[in-house]
Amino acid sequence: QVQLVESGGGLVQAGDSLRLSCAASGSIFSINAMGWYRQASGKQRELVAAIRNGGYTHYANSVKGRFIISRDNAKNTVYLQMNSLKPEDTAVYYCHDLDSDSLPWGQGTQVTVSS
């Protein structure tokens, strides 16, 4: 079973950038679509961005134009480049199979954006 580990979060100021990484213990090629999710304190987990093999991408309206999702199947890693960060981006960020909930969810990586 593929294990996913998120990293790259931290404390930044509004307008700064971060790049999150999602490293897989196995090949992510077998996962057709990977998604980045986030959950802010007291809020429901939401899909931020998604990417499929073949290059299809999708972004939530709240991050469109600021975030870029990419995947490197050779390195078994999915990335989320986060630019022009806003305080409302503060959340724990997770990566997961977009199409299935069969894989366990990781601990995520905390992103905190101060104003």
Side-chain angles (χ1 to χ4, degrees):
Q1 186 178 53
V2 175
Q3 300 291 321
L4 304 172
V5 180
E6 303 91 345
S7 64
L11 174 62
V12 298
Q13 293 186 339
D16 286 350
S17 297
L18 284 172
R19 189 179 75 160
L20 306 184
S21 297
C22 173
S25 61
S27 176
I28 61 170
F29 181 79
S30 61
I31 303 177
N32 290 327
M34 291 291 297
W36 278 101
Y37 301 77
R38 69 185 181 188
Q39 186 168 24
S41 180
K43 294 186 177 181
Q44 185 175 331
R45 185 177 64 222
E46 64 176 340
L47 178 67
V48 175
I51 186 168
R52 291 190 177 274
N53 286 326
Y56 167 83
T57 58
H58 171 78
Y59 299 93
N61 289 334
S62 59
V63 307
K64 193 172 185 178
R66 298 189 296 119
F67 292 6
I68 302 172
I69 187 171
S70 62
R71 63 190 293 171
D72 188 338
N73 289 340
K75 296 182 178 180
N76 296 320
T77 304
V78 182
Y79 304 97
L80 184 67
Q81 179 66 45
M82 310 166 67
N83 300 315
S84 301
L85 284 163
K86 303 176 181 180
E88 51 262 43
D89 295 320
T90 296
V92 178
Y93 285 72
Y94 304 87
C95 62
H96 203 269
D97 186 343
L98 181 69
D99 298 324
S100 175
D101 198 39
S102 63
L103 293 177
W105 290 79
Q107 294 183 340
T109 184
Q110 176 71 50
V111 173
T112 303
V113 185
S114 63
S115 60

